[in-house]
Amino acid sequence: MLQNVAVVLLDGVHPFELGVVCEVFGLDRTDEGLPGYDFAVVSAEGPRLRTHAGFDVFAAEGLERLDQADLVVVPAADDATSREFPRDVLGALNRAVERGATVLSVCSGVFVLGAAGLLDGRRCAAHWRHTELLAARHPEARVEQDVLYVDDAGVVTSAGTAAGIDACLHLVRKEQGVAVANGIARRMVVPPHREGGQAQFVARPLPRATSDSVGGVLSWMERHLDQDVTVDDLAARALMSPRTFARRFQQETGTTPYRWLLGQRILLARELLEGTGLTVDAVAARAGFGNAATLRHHFCRRVGTTPHAYRRTFRPDGARL
């Protein structure tokens, strides 16, 4: 049962990530027929802690409170990617998992779980800016690059900031059912479940040529994304044989002509979905995918969500188009 929730704070805690947990588990909604939680904020480094935003918070309870919790949450904190953490905090997190409690990190709080050894052999999530560092720091962890959260054997990790909402609602849905999760989400005015993953929020610049031998062809490709072209066509434009062009392209951009062109078409499709009222079929044609089905296939694979869902997220009036 999910009844007893404790949030453990480190100095430099980020208020939003803390606030997410307080909003989901710390408010009394029993008058609406929703369950209440025995909720506590625990200090890991003294009762008075500074926050990332420049004000202080006071937490009266100590780490012994964690031994009662069904869920222990670690929000983000300053320097969490590089600092050392108190040994008694790491020990408390391990004890929680050993006795069957759930441990949840929000954003950079995942590095605390990593320091406790809780990521070894487990899948985990992190903010897209931190995934490579987390994987290097904890090579035994299986870091998922583009997900909003991961639940693996009692250890739940969420990506940046608002993904903590998704992870908290996931736990409520898992332990207490869809109706409870939907009720809390409705009160918070957030979706009970978001489609897609972090990929839809990450701007990924495409590789550019390191010299001028294929630079002109790249510029031409950018201006003619709606046209069907082959490597032979591009090689002829570069005055090279297809084999030489493909090899030179790979050397100078780090990718193949097909992958480069596909990436540019996805970027154009994203811009059109965000900034125009074109139908998805028209976006597909303009971006060189030919039809909506082909656009959907590649868009889901690259961005992690559908063109319609992406438009609803990034264009306020998108749902009506």
Side-chain angles (χ1 to χ4, degrees), residues 10 12-19 50-53 75-79 107-108:
L10 296 165
V13 63
H14 291 197
F16 185 92
E17 285 80 347
L18 169 59
R50 65 182 180 86
T51 69
H52 175 70
D78 283 350
D79 303 321
C107 196
S108 62

Side-chain angles (χ1 to χ4, degrees), residues 217 220-221 228-246 257-258:
V217 177
W220 183 89
M221 291 165 70
D228 289 329
V229 293
T230 65
V231 172
D232 288 354
D233 296 331
L234 299 173
R237 185 167 293 278
L239 303 179
M240 300 179 191
S241 70
R243 180 175 296 180
T244 298
F245 175 79
Y258 171 77

Side-chain angles (χ1 to χ4, degrees), residues 83-316:
R83 62 172 291 189
E84 292 187 2
F85 307 105
R87 289 186 176 275
D88 50 358
V89 173
L90 306 183
L93 293 173
N94 272 286
R95 289 194 304 273
V97 173
E98 288 169 2
R99 61 182 172 79
T102 298
V103 172
L104 163 66
S105 66
V106 183
C107 196
S108 62
V110 69
F111 286 88
V112 185
L113 274 54
L118 295 176
L119 302 183
D120 293 351
R122 285 186 169 95
R123 295 169 53 245
C124 58
H127 191 289
W128 58 267
R129 294 180 61 187
H130 298 152
T131 51
E132 291 185 4
L133 177 60
L134 184 67
R137 187 79 52 78
H138 302 287
E140 298 301 314
R142 303 201 300 270
V143 182
E144 300 284 341
Q145 295 287 329
D146 289 332
V147 297
L148 295 175
Y149 61 85
V150 169
D151 184 346
D152 191 333
V155 175
V156 182
T157 49
S158 63
T161 312
I165 300 174
D166 299 285
C168 289
L169 291 176
H170 157 74
L171 283 174
V172 172
R173 186 166 55 248
K174 175 183 175 182
E175 299 293 335
Q176 297 171 311
V178 172
V180 175
N182 287 353
I184 295 174
R186 190 176 303 113
R187 272 289 302 271
M188 295 175 63
V189 198
V190 297
H193 176 73
R194 281 197 291 169
E195 299 180 71
Q198 293 189 75
Q200 59 189 299
F201 304 106
V202 182
R204 294 180 175 172
L206 293 173
R208 306 297 303 182
T210 56
S211 72
D212 293 334
S213 59
V214 299
V217 177
L218 292 181
S219 297
W220 183 89
M221 291 165 70
E222 288 177 330
R223 298 193 305 271
H224 299 84
L225 293 176
D226 58 335
Q227 296 187 15
D228 289 329
V229 293
T230 65
V231 172
D232 288 354
D233 296 331
L234 299 173
R237 185 167 293 278
L239 303 179
M240 300 179 191
S241 70
R243 180 175 296 180
T244 298
F245 175 79
R247 183 177 66 252
R248 188 71 59 82
F249 196 98
Q250 177 80 43
Q251 290 172 344
E252 296 188 13
T253 68
T255 189
T256 66
Y258 171 77
R259 290 177 180 170
W260 194 94
L261 186 60
L262 179 61
Q264 281 285 5
R265 285 172 169 167
I266 290 291
L267 285 179
L268 177 57
R270 291 171 70 159
E271 292 174 3
L272 294 173
L273 290 168
E274 292 178 31
T276 76
L278 293 173
T279 66
V280 174
D281 281 306
V283 169
R286 181 83 64 87
F289 290 101
N291 57 66
T294 302
L295 170 61
R296 178 188 173 91
H297 170 76
H298 290 292
F299 204 89
C300 287
R301 292 190 63 182
R302 182 66 67 94
V303 185
T305 190
T306 66
H308 283 292
Y310 183 87
R311 170 169 271 169
R312 286 197 301 269
T313 299
F314 290 97
R315 183 180 172 90

